[in-house]
Amino acid sequence: MDPFPHVNQFTSILPYEIVEYIFLLCCTPLKWDGYLYDRHLPATSIPLLLSHVCKIWREIVHATPALWTDVCVHGRSSHPEILRQSLRYSQTCPLTACVVIGAPDVDCIEWIDTCIRELFCHSDRIYSFRLHVEHSARLWGEGVSVPSFPCLREVKLRLSHLSPVGRLSPLF
């Protein structure tokens, strides 16, 4: 017996395109009275959550590249395999990339570098890049080179509590 019969009814009643559109709306920023509101759940998590509801939803989510176009590298929460999955399912869609680099954590330095290398392999698709550097963290390892970004249209840089010594030289 199916513990969630309403889930399958929802997807069997509505056409595939409508369900896909509803899923895309889940990933778009909320606007109310002209103001933009952040969600409690990051857009990068939504496709993963939707794909775990049932087989039909998973098929729809995996077949909708636009759901996977927000990618983020943020310390331990950035698993290289999840990033690879997002990059694969986004196919050739333009990407919005966010990299948050905090105070160095010995256990995840290689992890972050692996994610950044993977992300930079798709630099030709990145049209928006946000970099948030917290404290006096190093950006990324010596083996990670910064590629060109031919489609880049927007860059946002946020520096939090940086020491007076310049730590951004590897980026420029």
Side-chain angles (χ1 to χ4, degrees), residues 13-88:
I13 293 172
L14 295 174
Y16 170 91
E17 293 80 10
I18 300 295
V19 177
E20 179 183 69
Y21 183 69
I22 291 169
F23 289 172
L24 286 168
L25 288 175
C26 290
C27 292
T28 57
L30 297 173
K31 284 191 176 182
W32 183 65
D33 287 342
Y35 293 98
L36 190 63
Y37 293 93
D38 286 333
R39 298 185 178 284
H40 293 290
L41 186 64
T44 55
S45 300
I46 293 172
L48 291 172
L49 293 173
L50 292 173
S51 69
H52 284 83
V53 172
C54 68
K55 182 181 177 187
I56 295 171
W57 284 29
R58 182 171 34 260
E59 290 170 0
I60 294 170
V61 168
H62 288 176
T64 309
L67 287 172
W68 301 92
T69 58
D70 287 322
V71 293
C72 187
V73 175
H74 188 274
R76 289 189 184 282
S77 64
S78 306
H79 193 285
E81 192 51 45
I82 293 173
L83 178 64
R84 282 186 203 105
Q85 180 181 8
S86 295
L87 294 168
R88 183 176 60 247

Side-chain angles (χ1 to χ4, degrees), residues 79-137:
H79 193 285
E81 192 51 45
I82 293 173
L83 178 64
R84 282 186 203 105
Q85 180 181 8
S86 295
L87 294 168
R88 183 176 60 247
Y89 287 133
S90 67
Q91 297 177 9
T92 59
C93 289
L95 300 171
T96 297
C98 176
V99 177
V100 179
I101 301 175
D105 183 346
V106 177
D107 294 340
C108 68
I109 288 174
E110 285 186 36
W111 192 297
I112 291 171
D113 286 351
T114 300
C115 288
I116 290 174
R117 272 192 211 93
E118 193 74 37
L119 178 62
F120 282 179
C121 287
H122 297 268
S123 65
D124 60 325
R125 297 195 293 136
I126 297 174
Y127 77 92
S128 176
F129 187 78
R130 295 184 310 271
L131 176 63
H132 180 184
V133 182
E134 299 172 345
H135 307 288
S136 41

